[in-house]
Amino acid sequence: AVVSTQSGHYGRAADQCIGILLTGMLSVAVLGNMAALSYFWPIRHKSIHFKLYILIVFVDISTGLSTIPVIASLLNNREPMMFSGSTLCAIHISAANLLIKFS
């Protein structure tokens, strides 16, 4: 959902705050999943469960990284940035939906 003020302009402070919060959450998510990957990778051959955990880690990292175009747009006054082309926008929507289904 897009929230706007009465004049139709988006709140720059709100966008900056959301962008910074998303950046922090992305950092924690990627670091945590990288730690999990470094734990499970050496023992991946012991059981199918460890291979599934590695798959979950990759899905989580990919889901987090898919927020980068949104963060970039929020931190740059909602400029389209990576969403300026309809092809990349459609790819991003499809990839995000697929990742959500895997999660």
Side-chain angles (χ1 to χ4, degrees):
V2 176
V3 178
S4 63
T5 60
Q6 290 178 349
S7 63
H9 298 287
Y10 301 102
R12 180 181 164 102
D15 287 348
Q16 295 287 319
C17 184
I18 292 168
I20 291 168
L21 287 172
L22 283 174
T23 302
M25 291 177 4
L26 174 63
S27 301
V28 170
V30 169
L31 289 174
N33 280 303
M34 293 303 286
L37 183 61
S38 69
Y39 174 78
F40 289 118
W41 189 258
I43 58 174
R44 69 186 180 277
H45 299 295
K46 291 185 178 182
S47 170
I48 186 73
H49 302 98
F50 298 123
K51 292 178 184 176
L52 291 173
Y53 290 140
I54 289 172
L55 179 64
I56 291 167
V57 166
F58 279 124
V59 169
D60 285 347
I61 289 172
S62 300
T63 302
L65 293 178
S66 72
T67 63
I68 289 175
V70 176
I71 293 170
S73 180
L74 286 170
L75 294 177
N76 290 299
N77 298 322
R78 293 200 181 215
E79 291 294 322
M81 305 290 292
M82 297 177 219
F83 292 122
S84 60
S86 62
T87 304
L88 184 60
C89 195
I91 291 170
H92 183 267
I93 290 170
S94 299
N97 284 333
L98 184 66
L99 287 168
I100 289 168
K101 289 178 183 179
F102 274 123
S103 292

